[in-house]
Amino acid sequence: MSKNFPSHFFFTSEGSRFRLRPIHPSDKDLLQRGFGELSERSKYLRLLQINTKLSDVQLNYFTEVDGIRHVAWGILDESGEEPKPVGIGRFVKFKDDKDLAEVAITIIDSHQGKGLGRILFATLNFIACQIGLKKLRYYVSSENRSALNSLKKFTVLNQENDGSLTILDIKAIPNHQAIPDAPQMQRFIVAMKKVEKEMGI
């Protein structure tokens, strides 16, 4: 991870305190715990399969990242006595297109609707633009109407349908000024302003 990015920052929502930080190789147990908190439907919508647990190969892939080609940030709920893993967002750069990366964001069921997905979305967009990316690709289950509707609020550069998957390329968002100043976008603007502040902009 570039030294220009913080090691962590905090976010509050509905009286809860969350820590956002880059994923480390030592986070495998945390990731497995978080995966166990997903409902079967959430697992299917995000992985297009229902696993009882992540494999060692998946755990290695999701946690052993270089912070440049593969960037991943997680969210811990620190409101209780013990930190609880509640979300993860990541992007992986394409080898054959230096402007493009694949993005994935997951929030456990009990913590959806608290703005955590938006703050991860803003964090990944900010970092992506800082390292020169211009397009972010999302592979979304066609059943996941909520995620699709949210992404389509932004500049869609390309859209394809591949059976049960919708593939969306959206223009990377460098800052809150790049988000349309419309009522339905205000929460995204607030999230991006938070990230800009924490990143020292």
Side-chain angles (χ1 to χ4, degrees), residues 11 13 23 46 56-57 106 112 116-117 146 164 166 177-178 183 199:
F11 177 72
S13 175
I23 294 293
R46 285 151 183 81
D56 289 343
V57 171
T106 302
Q112 292 174 14
L116 303 181
S146 176
S164 61
T166 297
Q177 294 174 324
M199 296 292 186

Side-chain angles (χ1 to χ4, degrees), residues 49-89:
Q49 56 183 327
I50 300 175
N51 298 337
T52 56
K53 61 185 297 187
L54 294 171
S55 67
D56 289 343
V57 171
Q58 288 172 313
L59 288 172
N60 289 337
Y61 177 72
F62 291 140
T63 61
E64 296 182 11
V65 301
D66 60 14
I68 300 173
R69 188 191 69 83
H70 188 171
V71 171
W73 279 59
I75 302 181
L76 295 172
D77 185 341
E78 297 191 343
S79 306
E81 295 182 0
E82 182 179 356
K84 179 179 181 179
V86 297
I88 186 172

Side-chain angles (χ1 to χ4, degrees), residues 83-150:
K84 179 179 181 179
V86 297
I88 186 172
R90 62 184 178 85
F91 66 74
V92 182
K93 295 170 68 173
F94 280 80
K95 293 181 179 180
D96 57 352
D97 188 339
K98 63 182 179 61
D99 294 331
L100 178 66
E102 176 188 344
V103 181
I105 295 173
T106 302
I107 306 295
I108 67 171
D109 295 66
S110 63
H111 282 63
Q112 292 174 14
K114 297 179 181 291
L116 303 181
R118 283 190 296 274
I119 204 77
L120 277 174
F121 176 89
T123 300
L124 295 176
N125 268 272
F126 181 90
I127 295 173
C129 288
Q130 291 296 306
I131 64 176
L133 292 169
K134 296 180 174 61
K135 301 175 290 182
L136 299 177
R137 176 168 293 173
Y138 291 80
Y139 293 86
V140 185
S141 168
S142 299
E143 297 180 28
N144 194 346
R145 303 308 306 173
S146 176
L148 289 172
N149 289 338
S150 292

